[in-house]
Amino acid sequence: MVDRLIYNTVLSQAFSPCGNYLAASNTYGDIAVFSLNNVSNPSEDIKATNGVQHPLHHISGMEGGNVCSLVATPDFLIVGGIGEIRGFEWKTIISGKSEQSFKIQVPLYRDRSEPTDVNCLVYNSLENHLYAGCGDNNIYVFNLEDGKLIRTLKGHTNYIHSIHMSDNQLVSASEDGTVRLWEARKSSQTGVIKPYTNGRLARPELGNWIGAAAINDDWLVCGGGPRLALWHLRSMEVTTVFPVNDLKGVHVAKFHEDRVFAGGAGPNFYQLSLNGQIYGQIPTSASTVYSAEFQESPQKILAIAGSSTYVDICTNFNYLDQKLTFALSSNIK
């Protein structure tokens, strides 16, 4: 367990539907479950450890493999691993039990000898559908009522890093260097951009890959090897190149109201205006950030994690308040 703490990497996070718990996954198949009740008013134990909080417990999300992605539904924590997706009821997660409620197998095609990684998940609550971006270049859409595959979105030529949905539009980012837009209820692709072909964005020394992309009604933000940039959806033109040159690779890019949150291979996590002004610059525990999740209620929390055993907690989205650690208190001597 000690080696796991020293070399731990947190790949994904998800808040419980009530907002009082945080689940975080790592490269060893473990899921740590944290209570958020002490974030606003730290207990004496947390104060005594310089603001570091330990998990309530660990559960096994995927035996012997990465937990690459997590997503929450009102009833389940859904876990993406290698070759399969598992669902656990939140009440069992919170109580510390690894009682699996369902399992979905990701298709294995004849031209692949090994199961594919489920790198990212999105839940569509209106249709109760689950979107899974995978290492075999495909996006699979499953019906959570029965676990059946509804459709497959094909177009990428390398593995998928990120997917995000807004209304009926889905955006995906891939190692192939493209960002693709899809009509979510169909298999049709509605647009594609190649940031590495834009001279303002290209960083050939870092590669063409796109690590993260997100959309809202009017805008698309994305980055990876190419610089983090804002694109106007209708014109498909770059409007802002964000001045975050210390991000040598972008793995997180999200909209929050009229701002962009971004992180990756660099010392800081950023909060940016749409015109490129830096509103916040948060030093992180991780040398590379792979995950950032936020909620507004029942308490305002931004959780940032990556290549570290710590999850950084910001309650005002501007500076670090506390740290969560994957280590159980019984592991600390």
Side-chain angles (χ1 to χ4, degrees), residues 168-179:
N168 188 43
Q169 194 166 33
L170 184 79
V171 64
S172 56
S174 169
E175 184 72 12
D176 66 14
T178 69
V179 176

Side-chain angles (χ1 to χ4, degrees), residues 6 15 20 37 41 51-52 56 103 116 119 121 192 204-205 211-212 215 217 232 251 272 295 305 311 329:
I6 296 172
F15 290 103
N20 293 323
N37 293 328
N41 298 294
V52 177
L56 296 173
K103 181 169 68 174
T116 185
N119 293 329
L121 293 167
V192 58
E205 70 280 9
I215 52 173
D217 291 343
H232 186 247
H251 296 286
L272 305 148
Q295 65 175 20
V311 176
S329 57

Side-chain angles (χ1 to χ4, degrees), residues 198-210:
N198 186 305
R200 298 167 62 196
L201 309 181
R203 293 186 289 187
E205 70 280 9
L206 299 180
N208 297 338
W209 59 276
I210 301 298

Side-chain angles (χ1 to χ4, degrees), residues 226-297:
R227 291 178 174 84
L228 182 72
L230 186 73
W231 299 67
H232 186 247
L233 273 179
R234 290 185 181 180
S235 65
M236 287 297 195
E237 297 290 334
V238 176
T239 63
T240 304
V241 180
F242 293 103
V244 288
N245 294 326
D246 63 342
L247 284 185
K248 305 300 182 182
V250 178
H251 296 286
V252 175
K254 297 188 174 190
F255 288 107
H256 176 59
E257 297 176 346
D258 60 348
R259 301 188 181 188
V260 169
F261 289 164
N268 298 304
F269 187 83
Y270 287 95
Q271 185 177 167
L272 305 148
S273 71
L274 298 186
N275 63 11
Q277 181 180 352
I278 297 176
Y279 284 141
Q281 185 171 320
I282 305 168
T284 66
S285 300
S287 58
T288 299
V289 171
Y290 292 113
S291 171
E293 297 294 334
F294 54 85
Q295 65 175 20
E296 291 285 353
S297 64

Side-chain angles (χ1 to χ4, degrees), residues 77-98:
L77 176 66
I78 300 181
V79 178
I82 300 174
E84 64 183 34
I85 297 166
R86 297 181 182 182
F88 299 85
E89 281 193 88
W90 275 107
K91 62 183 180 182
T92 66
I93 289 283
I94 292 167
S95 66
K97 300 175 182 178
S98 299

